[in-house]
Amino acid sequence: MNVRKAHNIWIEQCEAAQMIKARFGLTAAFDYLVGEKLVSFASAASRHPDFARELPRFVSEVRRMFTPDEIGAQLAQIERSQNERNVDVLEEDDLLREGAAAVAECVQQFMLVKELLTAPMLGTS
């Protein structure tokens, strides 16, 4: 993996989100870009230096695409949905489903993204 490929990935995802927003609205675009793609990108950044170098740029672009009020409202909605799903998962007795560790990792990834999107200023160091 190289920096250029990581850069192209988030650029294409942001472009796709713009099309989704125009066609399906704010919530669909935000769910796609933040709820799926940014969370996955942040997870990859913890294991791959190329993604880690590109993460601040990706976050900055998301913050440019959505207003602070939109970000706050959409993050709250994702968090509510995630909490409901996590309760359901933890109440399941089926060992083949996600366990507590997977739920904790998902929550941790979401909280990182939430912090990055709502921080007053982004650092680059």
Side-chain angles (χ1 to χ4, degrees):
M1 180 66 57
N2 63 40
V3 175
R4 190 74 190 140
K5 184 170 182 181
H7 177 81
N8 289 340
I9 288 170
W10 71 259
I11 292 288
E12 289 172 8
Q13 292 169 341
C14 288
E15 289 171 354
Q18 294 285 27
M19 289 185 284
I20 292 167
K21 188 176 182 181
R23 188 164 181 191
F24 300 105
L26 170 73
T27 298
F30 196 89
D31 285 348
Y32 165 79
L33 190 59
V34 175
E36 295 178 32
K37 302 306 180 182
L38 184 56
V39 169
S40 294
F41 201 95
S43 178
S46 70
R47 296 181 308 277
H48 302 285
D50 295 334
F51 281 85
R53 281 188 285 278
E54 286 296 313
L55 184 59
R57 291 182 189 101
F58 191 179
V59 169
S60 181
E61 181 62 12
V62 171
R63 289 170 59 132
R64 187 195 65 73
M65 290 173 62
F66 301 98
T67 69
D69 288 342
E70 290 171 338
I71 290 170
Q74 295 301 315
L75 286 173
Q77 177 58 40
I78 290 172
E79 194 165 18
R80 280 190 298 275
S81 297
Q82 191 176 62
N83 288 341
E84 291 170 6
R85 190 187 85 238
N86 291 345
V87 167
D88 291 343
V89 167
L90 293 174
E91 289 176 350
E92 288 286 329
D93 290 331
D94 185 354
L95 296 177
L96 295 177
R97 295 190 180 260
E98 294 178 308
V103 168
E105 182 179 348
C106 184
V107 168
Q108 183 180 11
Q109 290 169 350
F110 176 78
M111 294 310 291
L112 170 64
V113 167
K114 181 179 177 180
E115 183 178 328
L116 290 170
L117 289 176
T118 59
M121 283 189 0
L122 289 176
T124 57
S125 58

